[in-house]
Amino acid sequence: EGRGLVSAVDNGWKRAKRTVLASKAVNLLAAVVLYFVAVGNVRGFAFTLGLTAVADLLVVFLFTHPMMVLLARTKFFGQGHRLSGLDPRLLGAVPLYRGAGRLREPSDTAPKARSKNTGAAAEAVRRQTIAERRAEQQREASAVGRGTDKESN
């Protein structure tokens, strides 16, 4: 969304916090229900499930989030050092300020990412039935015969 790393971490935390809390609430609810309706070893499993859900919440809120905030504010990660994996040039980001009083132009958009489904499209073509292939060939032949190509249709 064009945010800086510190802003992205803060915004991501707001969204991730809801997901973490919802998933751990479901785990705790399952643990409580299982503890009261089960007997024997299953009751021990339910207790362990609840305990690990609480421990995970503590780790996320007291270690993971503060560590991410701390790392985002360091020079190495925050400014996108080449070895950090967050180098803006390698990620395809075009900065707003281009230097010497120049700002990014609307035509200076970031390079287009490769389509993730190129392999899937090739697989779909490979899995066509004989009838589908013949129909496609006939469409192409009729388009060439009319003097048009597929892209102009």
Side-chain angles (χ1 to χ4, degrees):
E1 296 178 354
R3 302 177 192 275
L5 184 61
V6 174
S7 174
V9 167
D10 290 340
N11 188 45
W13 172 246
K14 289 175 189 171
R15 295 169 58 190
K17 183 172 44 172
R18 288 190 302 253
T19 304
V20 168
L21 288 173
S23 69
K24 296 307 165 190
V26 168
N27 275 357
L28 284 172
L29 180 65
V32 168
V33 169
L34 197 56
Y35 187 81
F36 286 112
V37 295
V39 292
N41 289 339
V42 177
R43 199 173 238 194
F45 168 74
F47 179 77
T48 305
L49 178 65
L51 190 63
T52 56
V54 171
D56 194 33
L57 280 173
L58 290 173
V59 168
V60 166
F61 280 90
L62 298 178
F63 177 76
T64 306
H65 176 246
M67 190 58 73
M68 288 299 298
V69 170
L70 181 70
L71 288 175
R73 295 183 181 176
T74 62
K75 186 175 180 181
F76 183 76
F77 290 104
Q79 293 181 0
H81 187 273
R82 182 175 54 88
L83 298 176
S84 71
L86 298 171
D87 184 6
R89 287 174 287 138
L90 296 176
L91 293 174
V94 178
L96 174 65
Y97 181 68
R98 303 295 298 258
R102 295 179 303 136
L103 294 177
R104 175 179 59 214
E105 302 278 331
S107 61
D108 294 340
T109 58
K112 296 282 183 187
R114 279 189 316 125
S115 173
K116 294 181 182 178
N117 291 330
T118 54
E123 181 68 16
V125 169
R126 189 180 73 76
R127 291 187 175 205
Q128 283 182 337
T129 64
I130 294 172
E132 290 171 334
R133 286 184 190 164
R134 286 183 181 156
E136 182 69 24
Q137 289 171 352
Q138 287 176 350
R139 275 195 298 264
E140 288 175 2
S142 66
V144 170
R146 288 192 316 247
T148 61
D149 59 346
K150 275 177 54 173
E151 282 77 24
S152 66
N153 289 337

